[in-house]
Amino acid sequence: MFVVTTQADGVVAGCLVGFASQASINPPRFLVGLSNKNHTFRVAAGASHLAVHVFDPEHLEVAELFGSMTSDTVNKFDRCAWHRGPERLPILDDAAAWFVGKILERFPLGDHVGHLLEPVAGQPPHELERWVSFGDVRHLEPGHEA
């Protein structure tokens, strides 16, 4: 599971994402699917970049925040530590690792829209860790329907 954040026109947004994967080694590419029903998708429509974060189970509450609340009604960024990173994107301080990717292409994937990213900056993990997975968050009531 990943937390994806973005910003456009002075608005920050973020959500928990399960549909994401490395898509190419050379050139490096990563694919993120954003639900076409959520706030982050609407903000990302005007964004040039996305930030992709992974969390260790010690910081599960951040993943839960971004997976169970909607920015339509709650400012998630008021409830966690973050800073502006590359491309002025919100970077979540408790992430074990993160990268910023330039959006190269958008395309429909059913009820999600694929965002093909070219990684441009990031912070790798300090050590090999166990990441938050679907099993850790399957109990959450989503902020929006998928």
Side-chain angles (χ1 to χ4, degrees):
M1 300 299 291
F2 304 88
V3 174
V4 173
T5 61
T6 194
Q7 70 87 31
D9 301 322
V11 176
V12 295
C15 64
L16 186 65
V17 171
F19 301 127
S21 177
Q22 180 179 341
S24 173
I25 295 170
N26 189 16
R29 297 290 184 263
F30 195 83
L31 178 64
V32 171
L34 294 176
S35 170
N36 59 22
K37 295 180 181 165
N38 73 32
H39 180 261
T40 303
F41 167 76
R42 293 190 299 274
V43 174
S48 61
H49 293 75
L50 301 178
V52 179
H53 306 76
V54 294
F55 288 86
D56 58 37
E58 181 180 321
H59 295 100
L60 178 60
E61 72 281 354
V62 180
E64 290 177 336
L65 168 66
F66 281 86
S68 65
M69 302 275 183
T70 173
S71 292
D72 289 329
T73 58
V74 172
N75 185 338
K76 300 174 198 177
F77 295 92
D78 282 347
R79 298 175 182 218
C80 66
W82 64 282
H83 65 277
R84 294 278 183 177
E87 302 300 324
R88 305 225 3 100
L89 290 184
I91 303 300
L92 303 173
D93 293 347
D94 290 327
W98 58 269
F99 76 90
V100 168
K102 178 180 179 183
I103 302 170
L104 299 178
E105 205 172 327
R106 293 175 177 90
F107 44 89
L109 299 172
D111 58 6
H112 284 62
V113 172
H115 293 71
L116 186 63
L117 305 180
E118 174 186 19
V120 296
Q123 178 179 309
H126 296 293
E127 59 186 67
L128 187 58
E129 302 182 36
R130 181 170 114 42
W131 309 120
V132 170
S133 68
F134 178 70
D136 297 315
V137 296
R138 71 179 328 146
H139 67 280
L140 294 178
E141 289 291 326
H144 275 282
E145 293 179 16

